[in-house]
Amino acid sequence: MDLSYYMEPAFREAIKAYEKKEVPVGAVVFDASGHVVGKGHNQVEELTDATAHAEMIALTAAMATLRSKYLDDCTLAVTLEPCPMCAGAIVSAKVGRLIFGAYDPKMGACGTVMNITASRDLNHRPEVYGGVLEHKAQSLLQEFFRGLRK
């Protein structure tokens, strides 16, 4: 299984965020057949909403598409390691598999700073694959933040 297949649509979403001057993070949910059922990109600034992360938007869209509060047969691909809020949503939605690009040394909650998705105290643990196309994801984030500092 080539995990980069799942990441490319997430990068397209991240570019949408970048073009809107949002932190360039994109997320896409695929059903068991590999069809896109939800997608999103960061819209925190646009919506003036600290919860408008790419993952939250993609998960909400997927649940609406599938008319289910659980995404156990689905794969979520996101360009940056999810934060605690998004990792909690991933567990709550019972996402079957999580694939992410860059690790987040400040807010990463899927193994870097903490590991919500692997907690034995919670009722669900998705399969997690980190570092998929990591360099590409890091490069986009670095370019964005370099531009902010200018």
Side-chain angles (χ1 to χ4, degrees):
M1 157 183 44
D2 181 13
L3 298 179
S4 61
Y5 163 83
Y6 296 98
M7 290 300 292
E8 288 303 331
F11 279 113
R12 288 193 291 277
E13 287 297 310
I15 295 297
K16 290 178 186 177
Y18 183 93
E19 290 170 348
K20 294 179 179 181
K21 297 184 176 23
E22 297 273 359
V23 175
V25 177
V28 177
V29 179
F30 299 84
D31 67 12
S33 300
H35 297 105
V36 172
V37 292
K39 56 187 176 179
H41 55 275
N42 274 1
Q43 296 180 53
V44 172
E45 302 302 328
E46 179 182 1
L47 300 177
T48 318
D49 180 353
T51 69
H53 289 195
E55 301 95 319
M56 302 298 282
I57 294 165
L59 290 172
T60 299
M63 288 182 270
T65 298
L66 297 174
R67 296 183 178 174
S68 174
K69 62 183 177 181
Y70 298 129
L71 302 173
D72 49 329
D73 290 332
C74 294
T75 297
L76 170 64
V78 60
T79 57
L80 180 64
E81 180 182 4
C83 71
M85 173 184 68
C86 294
I90 290 163
V91 170
S92 293
K94 300 185 187 307
V95 171
R97 180 169 48 176
L98 167 66
I99 300 166
F100 68 85
Y103 289 88
D104 186 345
K106 293 184 178 167
M107 291 290 285
C110 300
T112 301
V113 176
M114 62 186 69
N115 202 341
I116 291 171
T117 53
S119 174
R120 296 207 180 275
D121 295 326
L122 300 175
N123 68 344
H124 177 72
R125 287 179 296 285
E127 293 177 44
V128 177
Y129 302 90
V132 178
L133 299 179
E134 180 178 12
H135 179 73
K136 184 174 180 176
Q138 282 178 333
S139 295
L140 183 60
L141 287 160
Q142 288 169 345
E143 181 181 326
F144 174 79
F145 285 111
R146 242 190 320 271
L148 280 185
R149 286 191 280 277
K150 287 183 180 181

